[in-house]
């Protein structure tokens, strides 16, 4: 039904307009008790075998929604209603900003991909913090908060901007993510260099510890798939050195490899980050390299080209404790998370592993043996 609806309606709508329409539908449905109970019963059944412990937190399953869909934390309950067992909001910046000029979001339907150059459009950390402070969760879901740099803040002052967001948002976050890997904020990816990343992550860690008493907010960093292998190793070593809790692999790519011949060349040529199915191979490669480097010392989150349960299972076997999706949500619709949960449960049952935890990294360890 969704595939038919997408072909007849969403495919012909401006992608950003369609996105806002989807967010409104999700929000409104979650506000009606009878509707949200019915929808959750169908799309978000709990499966005991998928329960996951990571980052000192308990997850109903390892699968969640990546940052970018709900930038301002307006639809967390609605997304949990659809079966996402963790929801990462953002990217949120220290100050509000409109993002890049429109048009800035593009579909490559034959490639099941998206190109975006949104530019961290969001209401800013103060507004999002107020919304989270007043939130009364209807469904239990793990809430991640992804923070980035305000565009007008000079690179030399980036740490202060991240600290501002941390102080405001860490008290409301189950875990916190430092995003230094979007291609759509000038100079942001320079912060992935270890000499810049070390003081930034240290400042964020200290700010989170000051802002939150009684618990330690897990801290992760999100990296780009376009990093050279030596730089991936350097970030992994730094994360271990600083006592970070995890790495998210990966953000969107500025490369255009893996695209087919059917997508409109004019759309393929648009600037911005490419996400979706074409990112699958490189994101998996980065994940395997990270797991080989850090093993079980960090929680690895696999994201990029997760279309179905096979993709999610492959990331777990490669070393991911948690898995996230976003672009495939556009193409698969509201049944996306449910299908992945069902498929993961089936693959676990058919595997030699008693639990998901046993499966994490199994293929990568075998390859290294």
């Amino acid at each position: 039904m969704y595939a038919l609806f997408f072909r007849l309606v969403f495919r012909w709508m401006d992608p950003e307009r369609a996105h806002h329409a989807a967010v409104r539908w999700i929000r409104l449905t979650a506000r009606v008790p009878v509707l949200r109970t019915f929808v959750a019963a169908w799309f978000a059944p709990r499966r005991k075998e998928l329960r996951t412990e990571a980052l000192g937190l308990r997850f109903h399953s390892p699968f969640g929604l990546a940052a970018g869909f709900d930038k301002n934390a307006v639809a967390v309950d609605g997304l949990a209603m659809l079966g996402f067992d963790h929801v990462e909001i953002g990217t949120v910046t220290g100050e509000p900003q409109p993002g890049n000029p429109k048009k800035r979001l593009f579909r490559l339907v034959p490639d099941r991909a998206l190109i975006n150059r949104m530019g961290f459009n969001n209401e800013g950390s103060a507004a999002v913090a107020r919304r989270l402070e007043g939130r009364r969760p209807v469904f239990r879901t793990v809430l991640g908060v992804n923070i980035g740099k305000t565009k007008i803040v000079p690179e030399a002052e980036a740490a202060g901007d991240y600290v501002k967001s941390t102080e405001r948002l860490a008290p409301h976050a189950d875990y916190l993510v430092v995003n230094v890997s979007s291609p759509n904020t000038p100079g942001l990816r320079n912060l992935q260099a270890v000499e810049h990343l070390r003081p930034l992550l240290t400042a964020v860690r200290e700010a989170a510890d000051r802002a939150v008493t009684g618990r330690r907010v897990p801290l992760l960093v999100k990296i780009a798939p376009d990093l050279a292998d030596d730089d991936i190793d350097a970030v992994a070593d730094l994360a271990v050195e600083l006592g970070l809790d995890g790495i998210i692999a990966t953000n969107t790519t500025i490369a255009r490899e893996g695209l087919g011949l059917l997508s409109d060349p004019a759309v393929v040529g648009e600037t911005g980050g490419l996400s979706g199915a074409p990112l699958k191979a490189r994101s998996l490669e980065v994940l395997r390299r990270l797991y080989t480097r850090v093993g079980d010392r960090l929680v690895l989150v696999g994201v990029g080209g997760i279309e179905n349960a096979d993709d999610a299972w492959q990331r777990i076997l490669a070393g991911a404790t948690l898995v996230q999706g976003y672009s495939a949500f556009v193409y698969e619709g509201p049944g996306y998370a449910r299908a992945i949960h069902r498929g993961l449960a089936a693959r676990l049952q058919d595997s030699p592993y008693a639990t998901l935890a046993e499966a994490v990294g199994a293929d990568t360890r075998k390859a290294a043996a």
Side-chain angles (χ1 to χ4, degrees):
M1 289 177 64
Y2 178 79
L4 178 63
F5 181 76
F6 181 88
R7 286 197 295 269
L8 295 178
V9 181
F10 266 23
R11 183 170 180 172
W12 307 111
M13 290 178 67
D14 171 77
E16 189 168 353
R17 182 183 171 197
H19 172 84
H20 291 308
V23 171
R24 283 194 298 271
W25 176 85
I26 293 168
R27 290 179 66 186
L28 290 173
T29 303
R31 289 177 178 175
V32 181
V34 174
L35 274 179
R36 71 177 178 234
T37 300
F38 174 79
V39 172
W42 179 254
F43 289 110
R46 305 303 186 194
R47 297 177 180 273
K48 292 189 297 183
E49 64 270 35
L50 298 183
R51 290 175 183 169
T52 299
E53 292 194 7
L55 305 172
L57 304 167
R58 293 182 178 180
F59 297 75
H60 290 302
S61 89
F63 186 65
L65 184 67
F69 187 89
D70 188 3
K71 295 177 181 293
N72 295 305
V74 299
V76 176
D77 278 323
L79 293 163
M81 172 189 72
L82 292 178
F84 293 103
D85 290 318
H86 66 276
V87 174
E88 191 171 308
I89 65 160
T91 295
V92 184
T93 54
E95 301 299 331
Q97 57 185 28
N100 292 322
K102 300 177 180 179
K103 187 176 181 178
R104 54 193 182 182
L105 180 62
F106 308 88
R107 298 192 196 100
L108 290 81
V109 177
D111 289 299
R112 295 177 63 80
L114 302 172
I115 292 174
N116 93 82
R117 53 171 181 264
M118 303 299 288
F120 288 169
N121 54 308
N122 73 104
E123 296 174 3
S125 57
V128 174
R130 285 193 297 270
R131 181 169 295 117
L132 291 176
E133 186 176 10
R135 178 173 171 257
R136 299 295 178 264
V138 176
F139 300 102
R140 189 183 76 80
T141 190
V142 173
L143 178 67
V145 176
N146 184 302
I147 59 174
K149 185 180 81 69
T150 304
K151 184 177 182 179
I152 63 172
V153 171
E155 186 178 319
E157 300 172 18
D161 193 55
Y162 280 91
V163 164
K164 180 189 298 182
S165 295
T166 300
E167 291 173 342
R168 291 169 173 170
L169 294 167
H172 311 294
D174 291 317
Y175 69 86
L176 196 65
V177 180
V178 171
N179 185 351
V180 287
S181 50
S182 169
N184 300 316
T185 295
L188 184 72
R189 288 190 168 192
N190 296 338
L191 299 176
Q192 293 178 112
V194 168
E195 62 269 24
H196 301 305
L197 192 57
R198 177 181 280 106
L200 171 60
L201 293 174
T202 300
V204 171
R205 178 71 272 166
E206 292 173 352
D209 291 341
R210 289 194 306 269
V212 183
T213 57
R215 67 183 178 100
R216 182 181 182 276
V217 180
L219 179 62
L220 300 86
V221 63
K222 187 169 187 175
I223 65 172
D226 307 310
L227 283 176
D229 287 347
D230 287 346
D231 293 328
I232 293 169
D233 293 344
V235 172
D237 293 344
L238 178 65
V240 172
E241 173 195 332
L242 296 181
L244 259 63
D245 298 276
I247 299 175
I248 299 180
T250 62
N251 211 320
T252 59
T253 180
I254 57 174
R256 294 295 184 263
E257 286 83 6
L259 295 176
L261 300 176
L262 298 179
S263 289
D264 184 346
V267 178
V268 172
E270 293 286 353
T271 59
L274 175 72
S275 62
L279 190 55
K280 188 179 305 186
R282 178 56 181 167
S283 291
L284 179 60
E285 183 181 3
V286 172
L287 176 65
R288 285 174 173 153
R289 188 172 190 92
L290 286 170
Y291 188 78
T292 300
R293 194 79 176 184
V294 305
D296 297 325
R297 291 178 291 175
L298 298 176
V299 171
L300 301 180
V301 183
V303 57
I306 307 295
E307 296 190 274
N308 51 46
D310 285 331
D311 296 329
W313 182 241
Q314 187 179 40
R315 299 302 167 95
I316 290 169
L317 294 175
T321 301
L322 301 174
V323 182
Q324 295 178 340
Y326 173 6
S327 297
F329 187 27
V330 173
Y331 293 105
E332 296 296 323
Y336 174 47
R338 181 177 187 265
I340 287 183
H341 290 150
R342 292 180 66 185
L344 278 179
R347 282 151 186 78
L348 179 61
Q349 184 176 9
D350 293 340
S351 79
Y353 311 109
T355 65
L356 282 177
E358 290 183 15
V360 172
D363 280 1
T364 302
R365 291 193 299 272
K366 287 178 185 176

